[in-house]
Amino acid sequence: MLSSTSQFLNRLFKIEQKGSSVSTELLAGLTTFVAMAYIIFVNPSILEASGIPREAAIAATLWSAGLCSIAMGLFSNLPIGVAPGMGINAFFAFYVCGTMGLSWQTALGAVFVSGVVFLILTITKLRILIIKAVPDSIKAAVVVGIGMFLAIIGFSSAGIVVKSDATMVTLGHIGDGKVFLSIIGMLLISVLLAYKVKGALIYGILAVTVLGMIFGLTPAPTSVSDVFSFNIPSFADTFMQMDVMGAINYGLVTVIFTFTVVELFDNICTLIGVTKDAGLMDKKGNVEGMEKALLTDSVGTMASAVLGTCTVTSYVESTTGIKEGGRTGLTAVVVGLGFFLSFVFAPLAGLIPAFATAPAIIIVGSMMMRNIKDINFSDITESIPAFLTIAMMPLSYSIGNGFGFGFISYCLIKTFTGHVKEISPVMWLISIMFIVSFYMHGV
C-alpha cells in the first residue's frame, strides 16, 4: 500500500524526474511549514488592528494559506508555500485602514480588484513578459537580496540584531538565553549541513525549541489542550464582505494601484529568487509551471479577499524546504496540509518560538549569497543596479522596493551611458510603474 502510494505521488509530481524522492519532499514540506508557521499568529494580530474580528482573521489565514499552497503544488508543481503576505498585511492594516481611514471591507475590495488585475495580466502573458524582461544581473541580485532580507528577518527574530535610536540597528544582548540558543542553533545547523545530514534545518529548529523548554525560555506543553484544540475558528464575519465598489469609488490610482504594484513585484521577485535558487530556472530564464503559478497566485488573491484576509503571496521561507531537497509540488501540498492541521494543532504550532526558527532562516539567507558570482561587478551599468536591488531589500524591509530601485537605476544608467538599446519597452513600463508607486507612497 505504501509503495503504491509512493508510486502514485511520484507519477503525479514527477518526483524522480526532478531528482527528488517522496521522503525528501515530505521533509521539505514540513521544514517550509515550520518556517512559515509564524504567520498563523502574526497575520491575525495585524489584521485585527484594521477592525477584522480575530477569530475570522485566524480562520481566513489558515484557509487561504492551506488552499493556495495545495493549489500551487497540484497546479504548478512548484515547491512554494503560499500565505497572506507579510508587509502587505501591515500596509493593509496600518496604512490603508489606519492612516487613510478606509474600512477593512473597502481594503478587502481593493485586494479583490488587484487580484482581477493580476488575472488579466497573467492571461494576457504580461506577467511572464515582465519576468523575462528582468536582466540576468538583476535576477541574480534578487536572489542575493532575498537572502539578505531573510537574514535580517532571522537576526531580528533571534534578537541578535535589535532597534537602536542612535544607529537604527545594533547588536542585541548576546548573553540573553534566547539569543544564545539561536546562535547555538546556527552552529548546529551549519555542522549538520557540512556533514550533509538530511533534515538539518528541521533538526536545528526542534533542538532549539526543546532546549528553550528545558531552560524555561519558552513554554512546554502541560496538558492535551496545549497540543490541540477542537475550537475551530470561523470566517463567517468576513466571508464575502469585501466592498469592491467602495474601493473603486475611492480611487483606482491610489490604494488599488499601490496594492497591485507592491503585490505584483513582491510575488514575481520571490518566484524568480526561489526557483532560480532551486535550480528550476533554465539559462533562458524559463521555469516549468511558472504560468500556472502566476495563475494560482491571481485566483488566490481574489480568494483571500473573499475569505477575509490580505493578499496571499509566495513565501521566501520556501527556500528552507528547497534547501532540504524539495523540488516538486508535493512540498507545497505538505505545507498546505500543515496549515489545515493547524486548525486543530494550532497550540502545538505555537510552541515553536521565533528564536528557534530564526537560525534556519539566517542559514538559508547565507546559502543564497552564492548567486552573487553571477553579477558582473566590472560593469558599472550592471553592478550598481544589482547592488541597489540587494541593499534596498533588507534596508527598506521590502522585496518589491529593492526590485524597484534596481530596475529604475538599471534603465536610467543604461540610458545615460549609451546602452539604451539594452532596455526593452517592458522594462521602461515597469520602471514607470515603480516611479508612480514610490511617488504615491511618498504623498
Side-chain angles (χ1 to χ4, degrees):
M1 178 66 181
L2 184 60
S3 176
S4 60
T5 301
S6 296
Q7 290 174 3
F8 169 75
L9 293 174
N10 183 55
R11 289 194 302 271
L12 179 63
F13 295 103
K14 302 177 182 177
I15 295 173
E16 290 182 1
Q17 182 179 325
K18 292 183 179 291
S20 185
S21 66
V22 173
S23 60
T24 297
E25 295 295 311
L26 295 177
L27 177 61
L30 177 61
T31 304
T32 297
F33 169 71
V34 170
M36 291 176 61
Y38 68 88
I39 197 65
I40 300 171
F41 311 97
V42 176
N43 193 56
S45 297
I46 293 175
L47 294 182
E48 193 175 19
S50 71
I52 292 179
R54 186 173 181 81
E55 180 182 343
I58 294 172
T61 298
L62 292 174
W63 273 104
S64 60
L67 288 172
C68 294
S69 292
I70 290 175
M72 179 67 79
L74 292 175
F75 194 50
S76 71
N77 198 23
L78 290 174
I80 299 173
V82 181
M86 285 297 295
I88 196 64
N89 53 8
F91 175 75
F92 178 103
F94 302 124
Y95 183 74
V96 176
C97 297
T99 304
M100 296 179 68
L102 273 66
S103 67
W104 58 265
Q105 291 91 341
T106 302
L108 288 176
V111 170
F112 185 85
V113 175
S114 68
V116 174
V117 174
F118 291 161
L119 185 60
I120 294 171
L121 291 176
T122 302
I123 293 173
T124 56
K125 307 292 186 180
L126 285 176
R127 291 178 84 181
I128 286 292
L129 288 177
I130 290 173
I131 291 174
K132 290 184 176 180
V134 180
D136 290 340
S137 60
I138 299 296
K139 282 178 179 173
V142 164
V143 183
V144 178
I146 289 176
M148 293 294 291
F149 184 66
L150 281 172
I152 195 67
I153 291 173
F155 283 126
S156 178
S157 296
I160 297 172
V161 171
V162 296
K163 293 180 181 178
S164 169
D165 293 334
T167 59
M168 289 193 289
V169 293
T170 188
L171 185 66
H173 299 289
I174 301 299
D176 180 88
K178 295 179 181 180
V179 177
F180 183 73
L181 283 183
S182 289
I183 295 173
I184 293 297
M186 281 193 288
L187 178 61
L188 174 60
I189 291 172
S190 300
V191 171
L192 291 175
L193 287 171
Y195 280 105
K196 303 185 184 305
V197 175
K198 278 198 171 185
L201 296 175
I202 194 71
Y203 291 152
I205 291 170
L206 294 176
V208 173
T209 299
V210 172
L211 288 173
M213 292 176 178
I214 292 172
F215 291 107
L217 298 174
T218 190
T222 58
S223 64
V224 174
S225 61
D226 290 336
V227 178
F228 63 87
S229 171
F230 290 108
N231 294 321
I232 308 297
S234 168
F235 54 73
D237 290 336
T238 55
F239 184 68
M240 290 289 290
Q241 292 300 304
M242 68 278 189
D243 183 2
V244 174
M245 291 311 300
I248 294 174
N249 291 334
Y250 186 85
L252 289 173
V253 185
T254 50
V255 62
I256 293 177
F257 180 81
T258 305
F259 261 126
T260 301
V261 171
V262 173
E263 296 160 4
L264 175 65
F265 291 105
D266 262 16
N267 195 49
I268 283 179
C269 285
T270 301
L271 286 171
I272 289 174
V274 171
T275 54
K276 182 176 175 61
D277 191 56
L280 298 173
M281 181 180 289
D282 64 24
K283 293 181 179 179
K284 295 182 180 180
N286 299 316
V287 178
E288 184 181 355
M290 180 63 82
E291 290 189 33
K292 292 180 179 180
L294 294 173
L295 187 61
T296 302
D297 163 63
S298 304
V299 176
T301 295
M302 291 185 285
S304 63
V306 170
L307 292 168
T309 184
C310 64
T311 310
V312 294
T313 188
S314 302
Y315 259 60
V316 293
E317 284 83 357
S318 299
T319 50
T320 58
I322 286 169
K323 294 306 178 186
E324 292 292 1
R327 292 294 181 272
T328 76
L330 181 56
T331 293
V333 170
V334 173
V335 173
L337 293 175
F339 280 110
F340 282 137
L341 286 174
S342 294
F343 273 106
V344 176
F345 291 98
L348 180 60
L351 292 174
I352 300 174
F355 67 82
T357 56
I361 293 173
I362 294 168
I363 293 298
V364 168
S366 73
M367 294 166 76
M368 297 180 76
M369 295 298 293
R370 70 172 184 268
N371 288 274
I372 203 166
K373 71 180 187 306
D374 297 327
I375 300 171
N376 182 10
F377 283 100
S378 63
D379 184 347
I380 292 296
T381 66
E382 297 281 337
S383 63
I384 291 180
F387 166 76
L388 290 174
T389 301
I390 294 168
M392 289 304 295
M393 284 188 185
L395 294 179
S396 70
Y397 216 75
S398 167
I399 294 172
N401 285 347
F403 190 64
F405 270 79
F407 231 79
I408 293 170
S409 63
Y410 186 93
C411 290
L412 293 179
I413 293 173
K414 288 287 186 181
T415 298
F416 291 121
T417 55
H419 297 88
V420 69
K421 291 183 179 180
E422 296 179 28
I423 309 169
S424 68
V426 175
M427 293 171 68
W428 278 117
L429 175 62
I430 296 170
S431 295
I432 291 170
M433 289 175 67
F434 270 115
I435 291 170
V436 173
S437 177
F438 288 150
Y439 173 76
M440 293 304 302
H441 184 76
V443 298

